[in-house]
Amino acid sequence: MTVLADSTACRVEILSGLNAKAPAAILIHGHDSCLLLDAGGALEAGADSGWVLPQIPDAVLLSHDHVDHCAALHQVPEGVPVYATAPVAAGLQDRPDIRLLPLQGSIEIAGITVTTGQAGHSLGGVWLHLALGDGVFYSGDFSLESTLFALDTPPPAALALLDASYGLYDRAQQACRAELEPWLERPLLLPVPPSGRALEMALWLNDRPDCDWTLDDPCRRQLDLLQSLPPGLLQPGVAERLARLKPQPFGDDVPIILAANPDGVGGEAGRIIAQQAQQAQRAVLYTGYMPSVAQAQVDSGRAHWLRWNVHPRLSDVLQLAEVLDARRVVPLFSRLDPLEAWQQALGSRLLMQNLIEI
Ligand SMILES: [Zn+2]
C-alpha cells in the first residue's frame, strides 16, 4: 500500500502514455486503495506493452476496448477485478472477474467514487472521473466530432489527463471528409477498425446519392450491436439513420468496401490488399493509426493515407480542459513536440511528469 501524506488526496503514476504514442496505463494511489486505469497493449502486433506494474492494484478500470487501452490485461494478476462497460466486457470472456462500469453514472470502486460518461470515440467507450481531491479526470480516448457517439459533459476536475493522440493537429473533420470525397469516384477499399470509424463512415457513404458501398462481417456485427443500444447513447437521430443504412451484399464487385483490418494483414481487407499486389484496380485508403505493415504499403505507393478524425484536435483538448475547469492538464498519447507550442496552448496548466500528487 502506498503511504501518502495526510494533505495528499492521491498520487497519479503514469506508467505509460506520457510524451509518446504509447499504450495507456495509469495507476491512481489513494490512501486506502490503488486503481489501474487501462492496461494498454502495444499498437504493433507481437510487441511488448513497454510498462510493468509496480504493485498489484485493487481493480482495473478500462476506458474502452482498443488494443492500446486493454490488450495488456494479462499483465494484471487474475484475482484483480476488471471494470468495463457492457459492450467492452462482452469482449473479455477470458477474464475471471469482470464487473460492470455504467456507461453514464457513478459507482464506488475500492472506496473511490468513480463517475463515467461516454467519450464520443468508440462503442462502450467512457471517460472516468475520480472523486479524489478536487477531482481527477481521465478521458481515455475521446472525440468532440463523432457523428455517431455522444460525449457526455463531465463534472469539474482539477487534474485532467487528456487524450492528445493527434498532438498539435487541428484540422476539422469536415475538411477531412472533403479531402476524402474525390477518392469515392473510383473503386476503393477503406480498411477500418469495426468499432467506431467503420459505422461513422457507413453513415457518411449512405448519405451520398449513387454511392454503392458494402461492409464485411466484423463491421456488420458492430452495426447489429449499435442497433441494440438504447437510442439515448448515440448522437441524436443516429438510431434512425442506422436503421436506414443500405449496404450492398459484400463482394469484390462493390465499388466502395469498408473492411476490418487492424494490423494491415488479416481479414477481408488483407485478402483484397494481397490481391491488389497482382492487379491494382482498387485504391486502398487508410484513415487511422498506421501499424508498420500498413505504413510499408503506403511508403511503397500500394496504399494511401488520409486522416478521419477519431481523436481530439488541439482545440478539442483545450475545450475539454475548459469544461472541466482543470487547473492542471496532462496531454497523453503523443510526443509533446515542440514543447513551446504546448506551453503556449495550455500555459501554466501544462503538466508533463509521470508522478503527480494532489
Ligand atoms: Zn481508442
Side-chain angles (χ1 to χ4, degrees), residues 64 66 68-69 121-122 141 311:
H64 67 297
H66 292 166
D68 51 333
H69 291 258
H121 171 79
S122 64
D141 286 346
H311 291 279

Side-chain angles (χ1 to χ4, degrees), residues 229-242:
L229 286 181
L233 297 179
L234 298 169
Q235 293 282 22
V238 165
E240 294 78 5
R241 290 179 67 203
L242 288 173

Side-chain angles (χ1 to χ4, degrees), residues 256-342:
I256 314 285
I257 297 177
L258 291 169
N261 178 239
D263 53 5
V265 181
E268 287 294 339
R271 178 187 62 78
I272 297 167
I273 290 166
Q275 221 169 45
Q276 293 298 105
Q278 275 88 46
Q279 30 169 297
Q281 319 118 326
R282 184 181 291 276
V284 179
L285 184 61
Y286 289 96
T287 52
Y289 177 77
M290 296 292 282
S292 56
V293 178
Q295 188 59 52
Q297 292 164 13
V298 172
D299 292 345
S300 66
R302 290 171 52 213
H304 306 270
W305 180 85
L306 282 175
R307 179 174 276 158
W308 176 284
N309 294 356
V310 292
H311 291 279
R313 304 164 293 168
L314 175 64
S315 49
D316 300 329
V317 174
L318 300 179
Q319 191 180 330
L320 187 54
E322 289 297 324
V323 168
L324 291 162
D325 202 13
R327 295 198 289 275
R328 294 192 282 180
V329 177
V330 186
L332 296 171
F333 317 137
S334 167
R335 250 190 84 70
L336 302 181
D337 184 35
L339 188 58
E340 303 75 51
W342 282 101

Side-chain angles (χ1 to χ4, degrees), residues 3-193:
V3 179
L4 300 177
D6 286 347
S7 57
T8 303
C10 77
R11 179 182 300 157
V12 175
E13 185 177 2
I14 303 171
L15 304 176
S16 174
L18 182 68
N19 200 21
K21 182 66 188 165
I26 300 162
L27 263 187
I28 306 287
H29 306 265
H31 281 276
D32 305 310
S33 53
C34 173
L35 303 180
L36 177 66
L37 310 185
D38 280 341
L43 283 156
E44 286 293 335
D48 189 85
S49 73
W51 57 273
V52 287
L53 262 183
Q55 70 180 78
I56 298 175
D58 294 295
V60 185
L61 284 63
L62 297 180
S63 65
H64 67 297
D65 63 359
H66 292 166
V67 289
D68 51 333
H69 291 258
C70 72
L73 256 188
H74 59 274
Q75 292 180 208
V76 183
E78 287 211 334
V80 177
V82 177
Y83 287 80
T85 63
V88 173
L92 301 173
Q93 285 105 350
D94 297 346
R95 194 75 198 186
D97 192 355
I98 300 291
R99 305 183 189 184
L100 286 187
L101 266 183
L103 274 158
Q104 299 163 308
S106 289
I107 183 172
E108 190 101 342
I109 302 176
I112 298 172
T113 302
V114 178
T115 303
T116 59
Q118 297 175 98
H121 171 79
S122 64
L123 178 59
V126 289
W127 47 253
L128 304 164
H129 179 284
L130 282 63
L132 291 164
D134 291 330
V136 175
F137 177 85
Y138 169 54
S139 68
D141 286 346
F142 80 97
S143 172
L144 300 185
E145 295 185 292
S146 173
T147 53
L148 203 55
F149 302 111
L151 184 134
D152 297 321
T153 305
L159 175 64
L161 310 165
L162 301 184
D163 171 23
S165 295
Y166 290 164
L168 298 163
Y169 167 88
D170 211 3
R171 192 174 164 84
Q173 176 67 333
Q174 211 174 4
C176 299
R177 280 197 288 261
E179 211 177 336
L180 283 165
E181 297 267 342
W183 289 87
L184 304 179
E185 306 294 322
R186 54 184 291 200
L188 183 66
L189 168 69
L190 292 158
V192 285

